[in-house]
Amino acid sequence: PKTQGVFGAYFDCDLERNPSWRGNSLNFVFSIKTSGSSLGLDVFRTTGFNNNYQYFNYATKTLPNGLGAGGQLEHFGLWIDSNFTCGSSNSAATFGSEQLSSQREFVIDVIEAWLVRPTDKLDDDGPGGAKKQSVLDANPEAAALLELANRKMYSKTLPDPTLDRDD
């Protein structure tokens, strides 16, 4: 079902493919409500009820495949399916949050992802001073997720700038 709304989650820890819960108590979910000409921001921080902060999994047959925040398996506070076209939202004790979307299940119109702090995965040098890697090489899980979502990975088509070229 097509619904209107702006809502999301902040993950303090890097996303890593793992069929179990990760993250920490700095994670939160939020919704932005509009009423006439005014905006309202609802932020739901962790309650300490459980440690179900973030879930990221794909390519498994027995567990949910996608990205989740709070709640429990199959009943996430915020859920984005691995195809990035639909999701769902439920109330979640993890954040003491209400359902973020106007309807439980929704169709995704736009997704934004922001990196708001440095990540260990993007260091200039690898262990022992190894050669720099592209973002897709350094994050194979992210590359696989982009592939699942049928998104073009532009850096895969760029030549390696460290190779000598004969002109």
Side-chain angles (χ1 to χ4, degrees):
K2 184 89 170 171
T3 63
Q4 296 291 325
V6 177
F7 43 88
Y10 169 78
F11 296 143
D12 189 61
C13 296
D14 291 338
L15 288 176
E16 291 186 32
R17 180 179 174 221
N18 191 333
S20 61
W21 293 96
R22 297 183 34 81
N24 64 42
S25 62
L26 296 176
N27 291 17
F28 61 84
V29 294
F30 65 89
S31 64
I32 300 173
K33 310 269 192 229
T34 57
S35 177
S37 61
S38 63
L39 283 175
L41 174 65
D42 291 327
V43 176
F44 301 95
R45 300 187 186 284
T46 57
T47 62
F49 181 78
N50 61 37
N51 295 332
N52 298 352
Y53 304 121
Q54 68 192 52
Y55 175 93
F56 178 55
N57 192 40
Y58 57 90
T60 61
K61 292 183 180 183
T62 58
L63 292 169
N65 292 301
L67 178 64
Q72 58 191 10
L73 295 182
E74 303 295 343
H75 192 84
F76 294 91
L78 177 59
W79 173 252
I80 298 174
D81 197 77
S82 63
N83 61 18
F84 284 84
T85 59
C86 60
S88 65
S89 178
N90 297 283
S91 58
T94 308
F95 301 110
S97 61
E98 58 195 34
Q99 180 178 297
L100 301 173
S101 53
S102 59
Q103 295 181 8
R104 191 177 99 62
E105 295 184 354
F106 54 85
V107 173
I108 295 172
D109 187 34
V110 175
I111 291 181
E112 290 187 28
W114 298 27
L115 178 64
V116 296
R117 62 165 179 73
T119 175
D120 295 335
K121 290 187 174 253
L122 300 177
D123 285 343
D124 287 345
D125 294 322
K131 178 183 158 268
K132 253 191 200 183
Q133 295 179 316
S134 75
V135 171
L136 292 176
D137 292 336
N139 296 287
E141 292 89 2
L145 193 60
L146 285 171
E147 256 181 304
L148 282 172
N150 201 23
R151 301 291 185 218
K152 181 159 177 61
M153 293 175 274
Y154 294 96
S155 66
K156 273 192 164 186
T157 61
L158 297 174
D160 186 340
T162 61
L163 296 177
D164 290 332
R165 301 167 95 181
D166 295 325
D167 292 330

